[in-house]
Amino acid sequence: MTLTLPTFEASTAPLARRNPVAKLAAALLFSGPLIATLDPLTPTIALAVELAVLPLFGMRYGTLFRRAWPLVLAAGGIVITLVMFAAERTGATVATLGPFEVTTGVLVTALGMVLRVFAIALPGIIVFATTDPTDLADALVQNVRAPARFAIGALAAFRLVPLLGEEWQMLSLARRARGVDAGRNPLAKLRLFVSTAFALLVGALRRGGRLAVAMDARGFDAGTPRTYARRQTFGRADAALMIGATLVSAAALTTTVLLGLFRPIVG
């Protein structure tokens, strides 16, 4: 079993070239209001907008699917959980699975939650897939006035993420060379997965500790004013991106309210 982790892909598309802080803020402003509703219409509109603007970020649909496939597992978990433990089972009964009744109300709720998970997660996936981590750290320090210690530490951690996949593969190959193989036994595969994950965690903690000491030794926490090799400007196009994301999200919620389908998460 190999573990592959996605990395940043450079692009010259119009929205991909926007300020990293603007893209991150636009993603939050667009997906934030989706948390307020449980209906399936609002996230459906949001997903349609996200897929429509994807080419403007210079990202292919196949690439988005390869990065977002873990959301499918989350969606399956949501459906199974609601089918088994939903408190309200309104509507007509669609199917009966042993002691569990699958009703139209449960299916609508599950559909709304699954769509909401995708609609909230995809903007973040798109932003991080089209943003250079170094540019993001620079923009956080220059435009948001975030502490340099936090921004540079987050950048270093983000740069180390792809190494986890290589480390997992090395651990798996080393154990296979020593004759540690689960074969076709599912319980043995689970034990091997847990032990490999624990070894990966220990290695990541050790590497993080060494990196922190090295960064302190090089004066990253000196407290003196820092200069910037690459300036990150925040222009009118960046502000327009944030405003546009807010307006589109508000329009999706307004459409749902006008159609009488709005289901607030509270109340």
Side-chain angles (χ1 to χ4, degrees):
M1 179 187 296
T2 59
L3 179 64
T4 57
L5 297 173
T7 56
F8 155 71
E9 296 179 0
S11 175
T12 58
L15 295 184
R17 292 185 285 107
R18 298 276 63 82
N19 185 284
V21 169
K23 290 194 290 184
L24 184 60
L28 294 175
L29 291 172
F30 181 80
S31 59
L34 300 177
I35 302 176
T37 179
L38 292 175
D39 68 272
L41 178 59
T42 304
T44 299
I45 298 175
L47 280 173
V49 172
E50 292 163 9
L51 295 178
V53 302
L54 188 63
L56 297 178
F57 283 92
M59 194 173 182
R60 299 178 181 273
Y61 292 101
T63 303
L64 178 63
F65 176 77
R66 288 194 298 270
R67 291 174 177 268
W69 70 264
L71 296 178
V72 178
L73 300 180
I78 291 174
V79 173
I80 293 174
T81 301
L82 286 177
V83 168
M84 295 178 62
F85 304 110
E88 297 183 2
R89 301 182 181 272
T90 58
T93 301
V94 178
T96 301
L97 304 175
F100 307 109
E101 289 187 357
V102 182
T103 64
T104 54
V106 172
L107 293 179
V108 170
T109 302
L111 177 63
M113 294 189 69
V114 167
L115 292 175
R116 189 171 59 157
V117 167
F118 278 92
I120 292 175
L122 287 187
I125 295 175
I126 296 171
V127 167
F128 284 104
T130 58
T131 302
D132 187 346
T134 303
D135 291 339
L136 178 58
D138 289 340
L140 288 174
V141 176
Q142 298 177 35
N143 303 134
V144 188
R145 298 295 187 266
R149 180 182 179 89
F150 164 77
I152 297 175
L155 170 62
F158 197 84
R159 288 293 190 188
L160 290 177
V161 168
L163 295 180
L164 294 178
E166 299 177 5
E167 189 83 7
W168 181 279
Q169 187 173 6
M170 290 177 58
L171 289 171
S172 300
L173 293 176
R175 297 191 173 198
R176 188 176 302 172
R178 294 196 298 267
V180 181
D181 193 359
R184 297 184 178 180
N185 189 335
L187 294 179
K189 286 185 177 181
L190 179 60
R191 289 196 298 267
L192 183 60
F193 176 84
V194 172
S195 62
T196 306
F198 181 76
L200 183 67
L201 175 62
V202 172
L205 292 176
R206 290 176 177 172
R207 183 181 293 111
R210 292 194 299 268
L211 179 62
V213 173
M215 291 177 65
D216 285 341
R218 287 169 171 79
F220 281 94
D221 193 29
T224 57
R226 305 184 62 87
T227 58
Y228 310 108
R230 297 187 294 185
R231 302 295 303 183
Q232 297 293 330
T233 58
F234 193 96
R236 294 181 179 178
D238 302 309
L241 175 61
M242 296 172 56
I243 295 173
T246 304
L247 293 178
V248 172
S249 181
L253 281 175
T254 302
T255 301
T256 304
V257 171
L258 294 178
L259 293 177
L261 300 176
F262 182 72
R263 293 178 57 194
I265 193 172
V266 178

